Amino acid sequence: MSLKRFDLAGRAALVTGSSRGIGLALARGLGEAGARVMLNARDPAQTQAAAQALRNDGVEAEACAFDVTDPGQVADAIADCERRTGGLDILINNAGIQRRGPLLDAPEEIWAQVLDTNLTAVFRIGREVARRMAPRGKGRIINIASLMSEVARPGVGPYAAAKGGVKMLTRAMCVEWAPFGISVNAIGPGYFATELNAELVADATFDAWIRARTPAGRWGDVEELVGAAIFLASDAASFVNGQVLYVDGGVLAGL
Ligand code: GCO
């Protein structure tokens, strides 16, 4: 079987929130599969440094720093990416934040910040990019959901609500944009040892609980998300649409 169907040569991708963690791993992975990748974070220096690191490893990478929660910056940045790449083929909506705490005490601004970054930005950037993909009759949009798109745990209410929304927004985008040749899917990570989860990894009780709760018995490594992203971004997934592909070591498979 030819692996050409997984080849991303000649494709241009934007990965939001890609100066570190899952986003950086996915940007690197798409680049290693042949794509030209635009990296994004709010901080220009961090974004440039991440792009330079990928270029040092032979990946065609450039920086595109903008705040995903700022409508004006999003509009300008997508126009800029389109100019610089000649047209985006792939968008990975990865940027996200986590603010843990009891819902009873959740401040308005925390709710707003989490929903704005983790859900509204996915809508806003998706819409901006799809407006350009549609006339071209092709495109791949991959939203980063979560196992929290299906289940919650105490202390992450705003995040779970946002990620539940990402699952349904992915389906809404699918049903409206598939006629334009745009495939929209999501990847739902389980528990990965990233900076966002550093305090959980360091908590011996939580660490033991998540290892027992995960059939694979361990935390995921961000590299283990790359294959799912390459697949969904490639011709190999040409008839896959509206799906959430959970990469969770089996957490959602059982009690
Ligand atoms: C938490 C974690 C989770 C995971 C992720 C799994 O506090 O429980 O941050 O939310 O990071 O969402 O997909």
Side-chain angles (χ1 to χ4, degrees), residues 61-248:
E62 291 181 49
C64 181
F66 65 94
D67 178 349
V68 298
T69 66
D70 181 310
Q73 287 191 40
V74 166
D76 292 346
I78 300 309
D80 182 44
C81 280
E82 285 280 307
R83 266 193 308 276
R84 291 161 65 185
T85 65
L88 289 169
D89 301 287
I90 302 159
L91 166 65
I92 297 187
N93 275 311
N94 166 76
I97 59 173
Q98 179 61 285
R99 295 288 182 274
R100 301 180 183 94
L103 270 180
L104 273 182
D105 307 331
E108 289 288 328
E109 61 273 13
I110 291 297
W111 173 268
Q113 192 185 21
V114 174
L115 272 289
D116 209 16
T117 307
N118 293 13
L119 181 57
T120 305
V122 172
F123 152 69
R124 187 176 287 128
I125 297 167
R127 179 189 57 186
E128 210 62 39
V129 172
R131 282 174 173 169
R132 282 128 168 131
M133 286 177 167
R136 295 194 283 260
K138 63 184 174 80
R140 291 279 193 284
I141 296 175
I142 301 167
N143 299 322
I144 302 303
S146 165
L147 91 163
M148 297 280 155
S149 299
E150 299 293 346
V151 291
R153 74 178 184 89
V156 292
Y159 185 97
K163 292 299 188 179
V166 168
K167 177 175 76 170
M168 287 312 301
L169 178 59
T170 296
R171 292 175 179 167
M173 288 172 166
C174 160
V175 298
E176 290 202 29
W177 297 347
F180 296 110
I182 302 169
S183 298
V184 187
N185 293 286
I187 292 171
Y191 278 89
F192 284 75
T194 61
E195 293 92 333
L196 181 133
N197 286 336
E199 70 179 86
L200 302 179
V201 174
D203 177 330
T205 305
F206 190 95
D207 175 63
W209 175 73
I210 206 59
R211 288 174 186 277
R213 183 65 184 77
T214 304
R218 63 178 175 83
W219 293 76
D221 180 294
V222 292
E223 287 304 311
E224 296 177 290
L225 289 162
V226 172
I230 292 170
F231 165 63
L232 290 173
S234 74
D235 293 341
S238 55
F239 203 53
V240 178
N241 221 328
Q243 301 303 308
V244 181
L245 177 51
Y246 289 101
V247 183
D248 69 353

